[in-house]
Amino acid sequence: MHSSGQPDRPAIVVLSAGSREIERDVLAGIEEEGVPYLVVPGDAGVSAAELARSAALRSPLHVGVGVGVRGEVCVQHAKLSDPLPELSSGSNPDAAAGRVLGHNAARIVVGLPLKPDD
């Protein structure tokens, strides 16, 4: 809630401690699905999965994305206890994987089937 008493704008929260290039690709994927997002700097000493969990808990939409210091990406829903392997990039992400994960974060919000990671 804002200090003016207005509720937070519904958005996917992206906690990013990593690569600006991968972050840009994730955000492009979210934008292409038409879902708003909020980027917040993340702690470089925390894994992408932990960042994603924290982001999901902060998001009014209950979906968060974590971008780790090495560019790894993880998407998390607040109601899941552990990240799903298909919603994580692993340790060597590329631009296409980041973009697909951005799409999938947004698709969770709007209720569309997830895009496969080719």
Side-chain angles (χ1 to χ4, degrees):
M1 197 123 338
H2 295 282
S3 60
S4 65
Q6 296 294 319
D8 291 334
R9 176 177 166 214
I12 293 173
V13 174
V14 178
L15 280 176
S16 181
S19 164
R20 294 289 179 227
E21 294 81 26
I22 295 293
E23 179 185 304
R24 188 174 48 246
D25 293 320
V26 170
L27 298 178
I30 295 171
E31 282 179 3
E32 288 167 3
E33 296 291 339
V35 177
Y37 60 84
L38 171 66
V39 179
V40 179
D43 182 353
V46 178
S47 72
E50 292 174 87
L51 290 169
R53 177 84 180 136
S54 295
L57 293 172
R58 292 172 68 170
S59 169
L61 299 173
H62 306 290
V63 175
V65 179
V67 181
V69 72
R70 292 182 190 94
E72 64 275 22
V73 179
C74 183
V75 176
Q76 178 75 25
H77 191 283
K79 293 187 180 186
L80 294 175
S81 59
D82 294 317
L84 300 173
E86 58 270 19
L87 292 175
S88 296
S89 68
S91 58
N92 279 329
D94 61 11
R99 195 176 209 106
V100 167
L101 286 167
H103 277 281
N104 286 338
R107 285 172 166 249
I108 290 169
V109 171
V110 297
L112 291 173
L114 300 181
K115 283 187 163 202
D117 186 18
D118 296 330

